[in-house]
Amino acid sequence: MRPGDAPVRTSPRDVLRTRQIRSGSDLLAARQAVRAAAVEAGFDLVGQTKVVTAASELVRNAYVYGGGGTMGITPIVAPSGRRGLRLDVSDHGPGIFDVEAALVDGFSTGAGPGHGLGGARRLVDEFRIDTAVGRGTTVTVVRWAP
Ligand SMILES: Nc1ncnc2c1ncn2[C@@H]1O[C@H](COP(=O)(O)OP(=O)(O)OP(=O)(O)O)[C@@H](O)[C@H]1O
Ligand SMILES: [Mg+2]
């Protein structure tokens, strides 16, 4: 984060689009919605691809582990005028038992290679996981346009 970019204040009211994640085809639609929002927010092609890839990993986790959920896409503007996107990916699944472990590359309780969460974190500027065992998970990420 560069000086002048923080703090970012947004409220649930600011969420432009909330996508449901209930089926395999919703995963594709979610990717396309993030791509479109990134283009609108002035992201270059590399930035678009990074934020779309991060979103893809998070919605896939919400689908596979969380039994589905939602993704909020929020365009944000820093006090410096810099634009970005915030994504809130939520599910009401089992939660993540050990967040530190889940972020380590190669850790998976499923069939995946276990690179999703750690990879997503490296592709964004801000990354936060709120999770409660038995209640669900929300991963919030921010990426700024260049
Ligand atoms: N939304 C979620 N709800 C519950 N557990 C989750 C959730 N997201 C991730 N996890 C847990 O964290 C682990 C690591 O997730 P990560 O996305 O890094 O790897 P993966 O999904 O197992 O494999 P990959 O994403 O590389 O295909 C998962 O195996 C799962 O145990
Ligand atoms: Mg994953």
Side-chain angles (χ1 to χ4, degrees), residues 57 60-61 65 116-117:
E57 293 299 335
R60 204 155 53 87
N61 283 348
Y65 301 107
L117 276 181

Side-chain angles (χ1 to χ4, degrees), residues 57 60-62 65-66 91 95-96 102 107-110 112-117 137:
E57 293 299 335
R60 204 155 53 87
N61 283 348
Y65 301 107
D91 64 62
I96 302 177
F107 176 91
S108 176
T109 61
H115 292 169
L117 276 181
T137 300

Side-chain angles (χ1 to χ4, degrees), residues 131-146:
T131 187
V133 172
R135 303 257 298 277
T137 300
T138 298
V139 185
T140 299
V141 303
V142 169
R143 186 174 168 99
W144 296 103

